Amino acid sequence: MIDQAISTGAGGGTGNPHRTTTVFRIPTMDCRNEEAAIRNLLAGVQEVESLSFDLAQRRLTVVHALATPQLLLQALAGIGMPATVDAEPDPASGNACGGACSSGCGSTSAATTDVFTIPNMDCRNEVAAIRARLEPLNGVSSLAFDVTARRLSVVHTLPSPAPLLEHLQAIGMQARLGADTAEPAPSPGNAESDCGPCGKPAVSLAPAPAASGNTTKFLITNMDCPTEEALIRKRLRKVKEIDGLDFDLINRRLAVQHRLRDPAPVLEALGEIGMKATVEQEAGTRAKGQAVYLIEQMDCPTEESLLRKALEGMPGINGLQFDLMSRRLAVSHSLPDEAPITAAIERLGMAPVLQDLSRPAPAVNRDFGTGISKAQWLRMAGAGLLAIGAEVMAFSGMGESSWPVVAASLAAIALGGFETLKKGWIALRTLSLNMNLLMTIAVIGAALIGQWPEAAVVIWLFGIAEMIEALSLDRARNAIRKLMDLAPETALVKQADDRWEEVKAETVPLSALVRVRPGERIALDGVVVSGASAVNQAPITGESMPVEKNPGDTVFAGTINERGTLEFEVRSRKGETTLDRIARSVQEAQGQRAPTQRFVDRFASVYTPIVFALAIAIAVIPPLFFGAAWFDWTYKALVMLVIACPCALVISTPVTVVSGLAAAARRGILIKGGLYLEQGRLLRAVALDKTGTLTHGRPALTDTVPQGSLSQSEVLRLAASLDALSEHPVATAIVNGYGNQPHATVQRFEALAGRGVRGDIDGQTYYIGNHRLATELGVASEPVRALLEQFEAQAKTAVVLATDKQALAVLAVTDTVRDSSKQAVAELKRLGVEPVMLTGDNGKTAAAVAAQVGITDARGDLLPQDKLEAIEKLASQGPVGMVGDGVNDAPALAKSNIGFAMGAAGTDTAIETADVALMQDDLRKLPEFITLSRRVGSVLKTNIAFAIATKVVFMVLAFTGHASLWLAILADMGASLAVVFNGLRLLGGTTSSDKSRAN
């Protein structure tokens, strides 16, 4: 797109020999994903010499030879990165915008910029939802997000911002017009201001001051459900200099973005609300010679003495510092690395976790299970015997307030309900109306009206429900943990003396030589050096058939060597492999709240206070105003409180979403967030690129027809010399067809976006490109046209080698259609999703390929901006996805609701930037994704309906006096477990795609 803009725009960069440095402010550029997208867009532009990124300040510095930065601004906006020129202050005018206005602002004088503060916009899912809602609106020019400051800037031509507020509130965004006054925008004279309409600096979206500590990661052992998450969010919002929170409930982890000098205020705040937190990863690298371990099994002086005995006598150990409360051990040493220390601790049967930012954090910690301890089970068993004993004594004739019954009940409450009561007290102190507070009030209320046995049974059943729920959630955790368990912990590595030795995989350096024998799992990513074998890559790509591996091929950690011995060179260290990135991506995705989860959270935040108020009314109004019995109506109110617990409703969505994400990852489909997992079921059309998506993307040269005096060998020499500098698949086929013969020297090479390339050979300018380029040059004579039409009718891609005066030859290449494409298209149609082909190739070739695979809507001869327009039209009719693999597709991918990358295994950029990455080059993964998304949607709806229906039924029973406290808690427990196990069903079973392939 940008190549085309530069080549056709006025004052193109080719005529300006002087270098210019332009600094852009890009409010939406705040992570590596955006940086990668911009690099892909600008790296291949001849006039752009260098790029420098400052993500903390949202700035991009470009050294270029363009006459004006306007073309770069247009290109960045085309991929959803609206930018402004960060101009230096003009001493003459005193206005930071003065210099930029003369060239860049003239067209925006009629536009208005409104800034909205949106407190609940705190992750990519909300940003994507807002984009999908506002970008299609007429009059909206651009959106700029600052997630850290919870701000949205909208450039528009609407008469007022009222419609924007209505749309934001319609999707649950708590928006208000204007920026928070706590962080005023810089003054107009400040050079940091963005340029708005001419002469008027725009409202700044400058981010908060750069964090000095960045991110600290905490392990919170008693945080495992949305109730604790809400409590933590509320408490940490009060801690100054905290910029953001990322929750991972499945693994009980919290990442805090902050500007604090140390994490002590965070630990203190978490301690105040009863959260057992330890720092798992500091916001900085540790000092040389200092190793800090987190050891879950070290919690008493017995383990401390074992560790002292094992470590103090080791050479190179200078000191030990134990923190039994936090289960941390700090080791001062003079060793070259920590491997001997780690090994010594492991020999004691402990699982140490080294806190170190110099290596990627593990996606899932295998050493920290969440199973219920034996002591907990014994306490709950004792509490159950005492609670049931109290009930039996009450039924046998003892009064419910007699001292044996009260004593047994109090003992049961102390054994089985202490944690619940403690959490309830914390919720009361922090004014958080959660299920622990509701349960605490219900138990205390039952005791006050003399229902001691019921109070004991209720809190015991609630504790049992919590434990069973925790165990069932382990299955969702294990689904992700099993991904990591696929890679072995050791590898057979060649040593300096040519010996082969089994060593821990995490200690294997890059470029080491690893041997894997038949039947073994591969420990690390690498490139085969010697040997040949078939490798089962199902854990990475989801493909069922083994793939042949020969020298030069890539192997992935976690895959299985079926036969033959392979030796490979390590290309990725432990923690950086494709398998690690997949597991980490799934973790990050499940940590983001899906749309349904946001709805449920909002519903619960309104529903719980309403029911609480209703319970108070039931307890007070009938006795006060109608002379009813206090005991009866207070009891009904307590039953209502127990039923009101929104646990089943709130817990159902994260379990369902994480189950869906893990199930997709096991099938070779990497989904980057709950938003895309849910949105997939809504797709009405999918745009497919032809080359590399429907076809293999590896065309071969089939025809070379000279049109002048040049021989066929000379034609091939000129064509291959030009195309050797291009990365287009057609160019690669021509170069491969020429073979290993010497190439001519090419000067002044230039890529002509959407048409071809040109360059000088021996002082003559040659062109090689498509039908459009030949027409533009005026060399498309009747014989040339006839040949082009003949080849295009055969579904071949034809190009013309020419000077600016005559055609020299017509060359044709063809690309075979993938075997899976026809079946994938048929499955998409069966699902009611319309496949559309969008390709830059000529229309006849597009039609021929479309006919082979069954696509009825095929559009050829498309430039990047044409693809963008096509996506916009499709999006106006309903949600649209796009499968693409190139820079030319970037604008269209950004505009689509879901962007898919095919064949992403081993490709860092695709895994990090795509909304959905299909790890295998198999388009059938696309209908699989849509089918899974629909299953997830169905389960979510079922769970929500079941949870709400259960509440309604038992509220009616409570009001009519037909429900007791223990029956209410059983209903709540049953509903919670039912929705959890229903969500976990997604981890098993097969999709329709699988069934159709099996038949």
Side-chain angles (χ1 to χ4, degrees):
M1 179 184 72
I2 187 169
D3 286 328
Q4 173 70 2
I6 289 171
S7 63
T8 60
T14 56
N16 182 7
H18 303 291
R19 293 183 187 177
T20 303
T21 300
T22 305
V23 180
F24 299 91
R25 182 185 290 278
I26 310 176
T28 53
M29 181 186 74
D30 57 2
C31 76
R32 288 184 302 160
N33 289 356
E34 285 87 8
E35 178 182 331
I38 294 170
R39 282 193 188 277
N40 285 342
L41 177 71
L42 301 182
V45 179
Q46 186 176 4
E47 289 80 1
V48 173
E49 295 188 12
S50 67
L51 305 173
S52 177
F53 293 85
D54 181 356
L55 294 182
Q57 296 298 324
R58 269 80 159 183
R59 286 200 184 99
L60 164 64
T61 302
V62 183
V63 178
H64 60 89
L66 296 168
T68 169
Q70 192 64 23
L71 296 173
L72 296 173
L73 288 168
Q74 293 172 3
L76 290 167
I79 61 169
M81 296 280 124
T84 55
V85 176
D86 203 13
E88 292 296 328
D90 186 344
S93 65
N95 187 346
C97 289
C101 281
S102 62
S103 62
C105 297
S107 62
T108 61
S109 58
T112 302
T113 300
D114 279 308
V115 178
F116 300 87
T117 298
I118 309 177
N120 60 333
M121 180 185 73
D122 58 4
C123 78
R124 287 190 308 163
N125 284 356
E126 280 91 0
V127 170
I130 293 170
R131 281 193 188 279
R133 185 76 176 198
L134 297 187
E135 281 185 341
L137 298 179
N138 291 329
V140 173
S141 303
S142 66
L143 308 176
F145 295 85
D146 182 355
V147 176
T148 301
R150 311 292 203 276
R151 290 182 192 163
L152 164 65
S153 176
V154 183
V155 179
H156 64 90
T157 56
L158 300 172
S160 78
L164 300 173
L165 277 171
E166 290 176 5
H167 280 281
L168 289 168
Q169 290 164 359
I171 58 173
M173 295 293 106
Q174 301 162 8
R176 59 179 181 273
L177 186 62
D180 285 337
T181 56
E183 296 180 14
S187 63
N190 189 337
E192 298 296 318
S193 298
D194 291 341
C195 180
C198 284
K200 300 177 183 178
V203 177
S204 173
L205 282 182
S212 58
N214 297 322
T215 301
T216 300
K217 296 185 179 180
F218 298 87
L219 175 68
I220 307 177
T221 54
N222 58 335
M223 177 190 74
D224 60 359
C225 82
T227 302
E228 283 89 13
E229 177 182 335
L231 189 64
I232 292 169
R233 280 189 188 277
K234 184 171 183 178
R235 179 61 186 89
L236 292 187
R237 279 198 194 109
K238 300 176 182 178
V239 179
K240 293 182 179 179
E241 298 185 314
I242 287 183
D243 298 323
L245 305 173
D246 288 327
F247 287 86
D248 176 5
L249 295 182
I250 294 297
N251 283 295
R252 293 183 162 105
R253 280 165 173 78
L254 167 63
V256 180
Q257 295 90 42
H258 62 86
R259 287 167 280 121
L260 300 164
R261 291 187 176 181
D262 62 66
V266 180
L267 288 168
E268 183 180 346
L270 292 171
E272 288 176 6
I273 56 175
M275 293 292 108
K276 301 171 183 176
T278 56
V279 177
E280 183 177 41
Q281 195 175 78
E282 299 283 0
T285 56
R286 56 189 168 77
K288 181 73 173 173
Q290 179 81 2
V292 180
Y293 291 92
L294 186 64
I295 307 174
E296 178 74 357
Q297 297 88 347
M298 183 187 74
D299 56 4
C300 76
T302 303
E303 284 86 14
E304 178 181 333
S305 64
L306 282 172
L307 287 164
R308 284 193 184 278
K309 185 175 180 181
L311 297 178
E312 283 183 338
M314 284 180 59
I317 301 295
N318 301 325
L320 304 174
Q321 185 176 351
F322 290 85
D323 181 358
L324 294 181
M325 291 297 293
S326 298
R327 298 177 180 180
R328 295 173 73 186
L329 167 61
V331 183
S332 299
H333 65 89
S334 56
L335 299 169
D337 61 62
E338 296 80 14
I341 305 172
T342 305
I345 298 173
E346 288 177 339
R347 282 196 291 271
L348 298 176
M350 300 183 188
V353 177
L354 183 62
Q355 298 180 41
D356 181 5
L357 275 187
S358 64
R359 299 176 185 175
V364 181
N365 198 317
R366 313 177 204 210
D367 303 319
F368 289 85
T370 59
I372 308 301
S373 68
K374 186 177 180 181
Q376 286 176 282
W377 283 117
L378 289 174
R379 283 200 303 273
M380 294 307 295
L385 289 173
L386 288 166
I388 294 171
E391 283 279 16
V392 170
M393 285 188 283
F395 274 116
S396 65
M398 292 187 185
E400 292 186 333
S401 297
S402 62
W403 74 262
V405 173
V406 172
S409 300
L410 281 172
I413 292 170
L415 277 176
F418 176 76
E419 283 297 320
T420 300
L421 295 174
K422 179 182 174 183
K423 291 177 181 178
W425 168 243
I426 291 168
L428 180 62
R429 280 196 298 111
T430 58
L431 300 178
S432 300
L433 196 59
N434 60 32
M435 60 184 179
N436 293 306
L437 178 58
L438 297 182
M439 196 59 54
T440 300
I441 293 173
V443 169
I444 293 173
L448 290 176
I449 63 174
Q451 296 293 307
W452 285 97
E454 282 212 57
V457 170
V458 163
I459 204 161
W460 171 66
L461 286 174
F462 181 76
I464 289 290
E466 292 277 278
M467 291 171 66
I468 295 174
E469 190 175 276
L471 289 173
S472 62
L473 287 175
D474 277 349
R475 188 178 172 195
R477 292 187 183 94
N478 290 334
I480 301 173
R481 190 176 286 115
K482 284 175 182 176
L483 287 174
M484 299 301 297
D485 290 336
L486 292 173
E489 290 296 302
T490 61
L492 189 61
V493 182
K494 190 174 186 179
Q495 305 299 308
D497 58 1
D498 291 337
R499 289 184 305 106
W500 293 89
E501 184 178 344
E502 196 91 15
V503 300
K504 291 186 77 66
E506 62 188 26
T507 65
V508 179
L510 294 176
S511 301
L513 199 61
V514 174
R515 175 180 289 172
V516 56
R517 292 165 292 215
E520 292 182 341
R521 287 188 180 271
I522 296 170
L524 299 160
D525 288 1
V527 174
V528 177
V529 174
S530 65
S533 181
V535 174
N536 182 350
Q537 296 191 155
I540 299 294
T541 64
E543 56 194 318
S544 57
M545 296 300 295
V547 178
E548 292 294 330
K549 297 292 182 180
N550 295 292
D553 291 337
T554 301
V555 291
F556 303 107
T559 57
I560 306 167
N561 183 24
E562 297 276 332
R563 61 174 189 271
T565 298
L566 292 175
E567 292 179 9
F568 65 91
E569 182 181 305
V570 175
R571 293 295 173 88
S572 297
R573 295 182 62 191
K574 189 75 169 176
E576 300 169 349
T577 65
T578 299
L579 181 65
D580 289 310
R581 290 197 301 273
I582 291 172
R584 196 151 40 240
S585 294
V586 175
Q587 274 305 110
E588 292 168 358
Q590 66 86 21
Q592 298 168 11
R593 289 176 297 162
T596 302
Q597 188 173 351
R598 292 199 303 273
F599 160 76
V600 167
D601 290 345
R602 290 194 301 272
F603 178 83
S605 68
V606 174
Y607 153 84
T608 308
I610 289 175
V611 176
F612 188 75
L614 180 62
I616 294 175
I618 288 173
V620 173
I621 292 176
L624 277 182
F625 296 99
F626 301 101
W630 280 97
F631 178 91
D632 293 341
W633 288 94
T634 301
Y635 186 83
K636 289 179 181 180
L638 294 177
V639 175
M640 186 79 73
L641 281 182
V642 173
I643 293 170
C645 287
C647 188
L649 189 63
V650 174
I651 199 65
S652 64
T653 46
V655 171
T656 302
V657 169
V658 76
S659 298
L661 293 170
R666 288 196 322 208
R667 310 174 71 81
I669 305 169
L670 188 56
I671 306 171
K672 297 304 290 293
L675 171 68
Y676 309 114
L677 179 61
E678 287 195 36
Q679 205 171 36
R681 65 189 173 87
L682 304 175
L683 290 178
R684 292 294 171 263
V686 175
L688 306 168
D689 189 25
K690 178 180 74 70
T691 307
T693 300
L694 292 167
T695 64
H696 286 97
R698 297 186 298 273
L701 179 66
T702 57
D703 302 89
T704 303
V705 184
Q707 292 295 297
S709 58
L710 294 180
S711 65
Q712 183 170 335
S713 60
E714 181 63 13
V715 165
L716 282 175
R717 186 180 78 92
L718 293 172
S721 300
L722 283 171
D723 279 337
L725 301 175
S726 171
E727 295 181 354
H728 195 280
V730 172
T732 303
I734 292 174
V735 173
N736 291 339
Y738 182 58
N740 297 322
Q741 301 176 63
H743 290 185
T745 302
V746 179
Q747 297 176 327
R748 293 171 51 123
F749 175 84
E750 182 180 357
L752 307 173
R755 293 168 295 166
V757 298
R758 73 179 174 193
D760 294 351
I761 299 177
D762 299 330
Q764 172 67 51
T765 300
Y766 293 95
Y767 298 81
I768 184 167
N770 57 19
H771 198 154
R772 174 180 291 188
L773 178 61
T775 302
E776 289 178 1
L777 292 173
V779 298
S781 62
E782 284 303 321
V784 169
R785 281 203 183 104
L787 275 172
L788 289 172
E789 291 174 1
Q790 175 187 331
F791 290 138
E792 288 166 3
Q794 298 170 6
K796 296 179 180 179
T797 300
V799 294
V800 179
L801 174 69
T803 64
D804 57 359
K805 299 186 182 305
Q806 64 172 339
L808 302 177
V810 178
L811 301 92
V813 300
T814 189
D815 183 13
T816 55
V817 173
R818 295 180 186 276
D819 295 336
S820 59
S821 294
K822 186 173 182 179
Q823 185 179 347
V825 168
E827 289 177 3
L828 286 172
K829 289 182 175 181
R830 182 181 55 78
L831 293 170
V833 179
E834 181 63 26
V836 179
M837 182 196 293
L838 303 180
T839 178
D841 214 335
N842 68 80
K844 290 186 178 179
T845 301
V849 172
Q852 291 183 54
V853 299
I855 293 178
T856 55
D857 187 352
R859 310 177 192 183
D861 294 307
L862 299 183
L863 293 174
Q865 55 264 39
D866 299 327
K867 289 186 179 182
L868 178 60
E869 289 175 7
I871 289 292
E872 288 174 340
K873 288 180 182 178
L874 290 170
S876 67
Q877 302 167 10
V880 61
M882 178 165 181
V883 185
D885 58 357
V887 174
N888 285 344
D889 298 322
L893 283 167
K895 194 66 178 177
S896 64
N897 297 91
I898 304 179
F900 297 86
M902 273 186 66
T907 307
D908 296 357
T909 302
I911 290 177
E912 292 186 4
T913 59
D915 299 327
V916 178
L918 310 179
M919 305 304 289
Q920 183 186 356
D921 279 321
D922 187 345
L923 198 58
R924 289 175 296 184
K925 296 292 180 185
L926 185 55
E928 275 188 47
F929 161 75
I930 295 171
T931 301
L932 177 63
S933 176
R934 292 182 180 180
R935 286 188 65 203
V936 168
S938 174
V939 170
L940 286 171
K941 290 176 183 177
T942 302
N943 282 349
I944 292 171
F946 176 75
I948 293 176
T950 302
K951 301 297 179 191
V952 170
V953 168
F954 275 85
M955 281 183 185
V956 172
L957 291 175
F959 190 79
T960 58
H962 291 87
S964 62
L965 280 173
W966 64 266
L967 186 61
I969 193 63
L970 279 177
D972 182 72
M973 177 176 70
S976 296
L977 295 179
V979 298
V980 166
F981 284 118
N982 192 39
L984 291 174
R985 286 192 305 113
L986 291 168
L987 291 173
T990 58
T991 66
S992 58
S993 301
D994 295 321
K995 293 174 183 176
S996 63
R997 277 180 229 174
N999 293 335

